[in-house]
Amino acid sequence: MKDKMAEEKLKLEDLLGGVQRIEELERIEYVAIVGAGVMGQGIAQTIAAAGIDVLVVERSDEQIERATESLKTTMEREISRWAMTQSEMKSVLTRIKWTVDKNEIPECDLLIEAVDENYDLKRKIFRELDEIAKPETIFISNTSTLSLTKIAEVTKRRDRIIGMHFLNPVPKVPLVELVRALETSDKTVEIIKKFAAKIGKTAVEVYEYPGFVTTRAIVPLLNEAMHILLEGVASAKDIDTAMRLGYNFNTGPLEMADAMGLDEVLAWMETLWATLGEARYRPCPILRKLVRERKLGKKTGEGFFKYDADGKRIN
Ligand code: NAD
């Protein structure tokens, strides 16, 4: 009799746990995104398009102006290709609030960090926001190569920290890598898996490791294409054409690096090179040179190729 009661109690606790988890899921109604560069803008568009309100926090009014203009231009280009309607763009824009003020973060149910690939910066932001966000808010980092555990350790919510590695361009890439840090709880994984599905992404679970799956696999290809260019084997245009047509890629590796942002690509290579020690991750000198010259790819109008103000390739 005692055993039966204990069993019933467990079943009830399971049921209540389930109800509580569903309630938490339903509470993801307002998402904060910190950093509105290439990735932050795409993540904001994707989440807003799924009908969820978004608060985008940037570091200055100039950055907000740049980001709003850039997001509008991206969506207008989609409209001109008949891939989006005016009303869809309007509904995305009305769901996004842009600010330099962190005061509204305590109202958010989820926080996604998409600032530069830099430990100190990410840790500083996590430490600061941990103090002001709701205790139950899950913190997500979009890092491509850095350790989530190392970022999580500056907070008091280590079980509620997870990586969500979106790929560029976020609205178009249907994949997200879910990265467990050392102390990420199963409940956090479960909630974020459902959130990923809600915003139209297929999630793959990966262990925390430099570069996860996608960055680790693509970086040597980008690096090799840069070396081919450096060694004068072919022009940038011909390298990309060869890889596009030869392997049925949508974009050649050099244009892909330009779209990712050459400073970001360099930061990933530096981390992979430092942590894994394999020569294939050692950044090609041509990449360092372009970054030194602030030719960062699409976002600055020039990298391996040139781009107009709308981000369209012009050479
Ligand atoms: P980015 O340089 O385009 O944007 C970074 C943004 O963060 C800038 O707009 C900057 O103003 C903002 N920022 C910096 N400090 C801030 C602060 N204190 N508060 C608010 N905003 C701040 O970089 P990105 O390419 O969007 O990359 C962001 C993250 O996403 C990185 O961790 C990167 O590794 C990762 N990622 C990038 C790609 C890609 O293809 N670019 C793909 C997957 C993941």
Side-chain angles (χ1 to χ4, degrees):
M1 182 66 183
K2 238 184 185 174
D3 281 356
K4 182 111 182 100
M5 274 173 71
E7 206 180 294
E8 288 302 318
K9 189 168 169 268
L10 276 177
K11 269 193 204 155
L12 192 62
E13 277 171 5
D14 244 20
L15 198 68
L16 288 173
V19 170
Q20 196 189 342
R21 278 197 294 277
I22 288 163
E23 278 172 0
E24 279 171 30
L25 278 173
E26 283 173 351
R27 258 189 268 129
I28 301 185
E29 289 164 353
Y30 196 19
V31 176
I33 298 173
V34 186
V38 174
M39 297 307 286
Q41 288 167 43
I43 298 169
Q45 181 189 332
T46 304
I47 296 175
I52 300 169
D53 290 332
V54 177
L55 177 75
V56 175
V57 185
E58 253 293 347
R59 58 181 162 171
S60 70
D61 290 330
E62 294 75 51
Q63 292 294 338
I64 289 183
E65 206 180 312
R66 177 198 50 76
T68 45
E69 278 310 308
S70 160
L71 180 58
K72 250 189 244 160
T73 308
T74 308
M75 287 195 283
E76 273 159 6
R77 208 165 44 239
E78 289 302 290
I79 291 169
S80 73
R81 295 173 52 239
W82 297 69
M84 188 182 231
T85 64
Q86 283 283 356
S87 63
E88 279 167 343
M89 174 168 98
K90 210 169 153 201
S91 110
V92 164
L93 292 175
T94 51
R95 285 204 182 275
I96 305 177
K97 181 172 175 186
W98 306 82
T99 181
V100 288
D101 190 354
K102 299 188 178 77
N103 286 347
E104 225 173 281
I105 284 182
E107 290 171 36
C108 296
D109 310 307
L110 205 69
L111 183 135
I112 304 178
E113 166 278 308
V115 302
D116 313 53
E117 188 78 335
N118 174 309
Y119 260 131
D120 294 341
L121 178 61
K122 288 184 191 290
R123 280 163 65 100
K124 180 173 167 274
I125 287 171
F126 269 59
R127 187 182 292 118
E128 186 187 346
L129 300 183
D130 186 42
E131 296 294 325
I132 59 173
K134 285 189 283 196
E136 65 271 26
T137 297
I138 293 173
F139 279 21
I140 293 166
S141 173
N142 187 43
T143 180
S144 304
T145 53
L146 304 175
S147 158
L148 260 302
T149 303
K150 236 174 120 178
I151 298 172
E153 72 190 13
V154 299
T155 73
K156 290 184 227 64
R157 62 182 80 218
R158 296 178 190 184
D159 58 323
R160 268 152 295 132
I161 289 188
I162 187 165
M164 230 182 157
H165 183 236
F166 292 95
L167 274 75
N168 182 38
V170 182
K172 289 190 185 158
V173 181
L175 173 85
V176 66
E177 285 172 291
L178 294 191
V179 190
R180 264 178 192 270
L182 198 62
E183 295 179 55
T184 307
S185 68
D186 290 345
K187 192 165 146 192
T188 298
V189 175
E190 187 191 343
I191 292 172
I192 297 307
K193 257 190 195 161
K194 296 215 171 128
F195 172 69
K198 191 168 176 194
I199 62 170
K201 304 295 177 202
T202 299
V204 292
E205 242 183 274
V206 301
Y207 290 107
E208 177 178 302
Y209 207 81
F212 319 126
V213 176
T214 54
T215 308
R216 182 167 168 188
I218 202 70
V219 155
L221 175 71
L222 305 183
N223 213 16
E224 203 53 39
M226 293 172 202
H227 277 287
I228 293 171
L229 180 66
L230 184 73
E231 289 162 29
V233 179
S235 68
K237 202 170 161 199
D238 283 348
I239 293 170
D240 269 22
T241 304
M243 295 304 286
R244 262 193 308 109
L245 303 184
Y247 292 107
N248 207 12
F249 287 179
N250 282 334
T251 318
L254 299 175
E255 189 174 343
M256 195 187 285
D258 274 353
M260 289 165 163
L262 300 185
D263 52 342
E264 290 300 322
V265 175
L266 177 60
W268 304 339
M269 285 191 197
E270 300 273 27
T271 306
L272 290 167
W273 167 230
T275 50
L276 302 174
E278 301 276 1
R280 60 180 178 268
Y281 302 117
R282 189 172 56 207
C284 178
I286 209 168
L287 176 64
R288 290 193 189 283
K289 180 174 175 287
L290 287 170
V291 172
R292 256 196 323 272
E293 293 169 351
R294 298 296 296 161
K295 291 177 182 162
L296 306 180
K298 218 178 226 185
K299 62 185 170 189
T300 57
E302 187 171 351
F304 290 100
F305 301 102
K306 288 192 175 147
Y307 303 86
D308 66 14
D310 293 345
K312 211 165 144 230
R313 207 174 123 185
I314 48 177
N315 75 338

